[in-house]
Amino acid sequence: MLKRLAFALAAVIAVLLVPAAGATVSALAAFDALYAAGPPRPVPAAAPVPYDPGKPTAVVVIGDRGAVVSDALAPYEILATTGRFNVYTVAPHREPKPLTGGLDLVPDFDFDGLAARLGARAPDLVVVPALPDLGEASTEPVKTWLRAQAARGSKLLSVCNGGGVLASAGLLDGRPATAHWLKLEAFAADYPAVHWVRGQRFVDDGAVVTTAGILSGIDGTLHWVERLAGRPVAAEAAAAIGWRRYGTAVPVTPPSGMPDAAAIVNAGFRWNPDETGVLLTDGVGELELASVFDTEGQSLSSRTLSVSTDGGPIRSRHGLTFLPRAALAAAPELDRLLVPGATRGVTPPPGGPAPEYVHDRPGFAYDTAVSALSRRTDVATARWTAKVLELPTDDVVFEGRAWPWLPTALPIALVLLGAAAVTVVVRLRRPETI
């Protein structure tokens, strides 16, 4: 009897390992897809970038392996919207850098080019987004450059886990600072010289402002705008992007269970996620682009592919250059086609999916993107995505199915099939009685 029970238990464990292994592979593939580099493409010539020596200069630094899309583009658009700053993107090398979800940015300058533009002046403000290669040798050029700018008097703003970049560069030692709630405990162990603060959207320590999760970067950027250009300018910038929370104390409340069950299901058991094209068009807002790529990516429910009508580069509302990874007509078979921004009347290739205009409702770009996600997937997935983004949901309309039932059914079906197989095998091994 004990032998039979041991055999049955071993068989059940073997059966459970199948969905577990599948879930692990699926989750790793989903996260790898967020940061995957694009194919080799010619780098377009640098477009003329105006410089007004009478304005302060703000730069968003991008690592050689890219950055989190919202961390980089949300501060950029806010600063550019004010009209009070020279605003640039900079990287160690001027070549396409992957922002999460596959949005490839061509920086305005490399480090040497920015120095040539500014001359003896240091940037007045440096924005540091989360980098996917934190802790690896590939971040050394960025950390060395950040130390040099801080020594020259640049003010610093870290967004989300950009706080880890500053901490690893030694620029937060002895300071209070914050970062995304998912990483705070790990950062506390890795960088004990930093006084990590929990529950605040941003922490102001004079020359350095650090922010919590992704969209807390909006609050931190507006705070710097207020300090450098005045409260009325910050209020106008907040109104321009539809951020109605400016001036309110929105708490950071991590969920009690981390991650949510919906996130586990999507990461582990969406073995065939939607292939979603995102159409890049000239004049699209940087926040509109980021809201689509980050919402889709953080949900772990689809894989995004940036496309343009002809496969050529586009220029965003405030002059950033983005390279698509395919022309729309030549893109692999797509399940969906999302169109950020105000563009209408897109004609998909024959047999392609009908365009979905994400920002077809007034309001903050992420509110409408998360609402669209809830309609496409389910409410639980959309609510988890909002938590990761640190998006307050008072203005988000959640509608659609309550739960990701189809991916949930997959592991249950595998376990039931495995249990049935074990039962059959046990009965076949049972000796016949005479």
Side-chain angles (χ1 to χ4, degrees):
M1 178 62 71
L2 289 176
K3 185 177 180 181
R4 290 177 184 174
L5 288 174
F7 171 77
L9 180 61
V12 169
I13 291 173
V15 167
L16 292 175
L17 286 176
V18 173
T24 302
V25 171
S26 176
L28 291 174
F31 287 112
D32 286 346
L34 285 178
Y35 298 102
R41 287 148 295 174
V43 179
V49 181
Y51 174 65
D52 183 345
K55 294 179 179 180
T57 296
V59 298
V60 179
V61 63
I62 310 295
D64 270 335
R65 284 173 51 188
V68 171
V69 61
S70 295
D71 294 4
L73 297 190
Y76 178 92
E77 177 161 350
I78 292 167
L79 292 162
T81 293
T82 68
R84 301 296 186 96
F85 300 87
N86 304 303
V87 189
Y88 308 125
T89 52
V90 66
H93 306 95
R94 190 179 177 275
E95 56 191 21
K97 305 299 181 188
L99 305 181
T100 42
L103 179 61
D104 294 330
L105 167 71
V106 181
D108 296 314
F109 297 105
D110 60 18
F111 290 154
D112 291 339
L114 179 67
R117 168 56 59 91
L118 298 183
R121 295 179 59 177
D124 296 271
L125 177 64
V126 177
V127 180
V128 185
L131 306 183
D133 49 344
L134 176 62
E136 299 180 25
S138 51
T139 62
E140 286 303 323
V142 169
K143 292 192 295 184
T144 299
W145 184 81
L146 287 172
R147 293 187 196 102
Q149 306 320 302
R152 298 172 67 202
S154 294
K155 307 294 192 294
L156 301 175
L157 168 66
S158 71
V159 181
C160 189
N161 294 331
V165 179
L166 291 184
S168 67
L171 294 171
L172 296 182
D173 288 355
R175 293 181 178 272
T178 194
H180 198 294
W181 50 264
L182 274 169
K183 290 291 288 184
L184 270 176
E185 299 309 318
F187 284 169
D190 292 341
Y191 311 112
V194 181
H195 306 311
W196 294 103
V197 177
R198 295 158 178 80
Q200 295 181 208
R201 287 184 79 85
F202 65 87
V203 174
D204 183 340
D205 189 47
V208 181
V209 172
T210 55
T211 77
I214 300 170
L215 293 183
S216 293
I218 291 178
D219 301 282
T221 306
L222 290 170
H223 181 69
W224 263 123
V225 171
E226 181 177 325
R227 284 183 54 180
L228 297 173
R231 187 175 181 83
V233 176
E236 288 175 8
I241 65 170
W243 186 251
R244 298 198 300 116
R245 296 97 176 171
Y246 173 64
T248 62
V250 181
V252 175
T253 340
S256 55
M258 299 184 292
D260 280 5
I264 296 172
V265 167
N266 283 323
F269 298 105
R270 282 191 185 270
W271 291 0
N272 186 29
D274 288 348
E275 295 292 336
T276 301
V278 182
L279 185 66
L280 313 185
T281 56
D282 285 317
V284 65
E286 293 84 8
L287 272 167
E288 292 166 341
L289 281 174
S291 70
V292 172
F293 280 96
D294 229 354
T295 296
E296 294 294 316
Q298 298 292 348
S299 75
L300 303 176
S301 64
S302 70
R303 295 182 185 174
T304 46
L305 175 70
S306 60
V307 298
S308 69
T309 53
D310 60 0
I314 67 102
R315 296 270 287 174
S316 67
R317 180 176 299 157
H318 296 101
L320 291 180
T321 300
F322 295 98
L323 291 183
R325 296 191 175 183
L328 179 56
E333 185 173 344
L334 300 174
D335 297 300
R336 300 166 56 235
L337 177 63
L338 303 184
V339 184
T343 300
R344 296 290 184 271
V346 173
T347 303
E356 300 175 38
Y357 300 101
V358 179
H359 302 108
D360 59 349
R361 304 178 182 185
F364 182 56
Y366 287 79
D367 292 346
T368 53
V370 170
S371 181
L373 177 70
S374 73
R375 295 193 299 274
R376 179 183 66 81
T377 56
D378 56 86
V379 171
T381 295
R383 287 194 178 278
W384 163 255
T385 302
K387 289 177 186 177
V388 175
L389 293 171
E390 284 191 5
L391 172 68
T393 57
D394 46 306
D395 292 330
V396 179
V397 177
F398 291 99
E399 48 194 353
R401 295 183 299 274
W403 184 259
W405 294 114
L406 186 58
T408 302
L410 179 59
I412 295 173
L414 287 171
V415 170
L416 290 176
L417 286 172
V422 169
T423 301
V424 170
V425 171
V426 169
R427 288 183 176 178
L428 289 175
R429 288 176 57 89
R430 183 178 300 163
E432 296 182 2
T433 56
I434 299 176

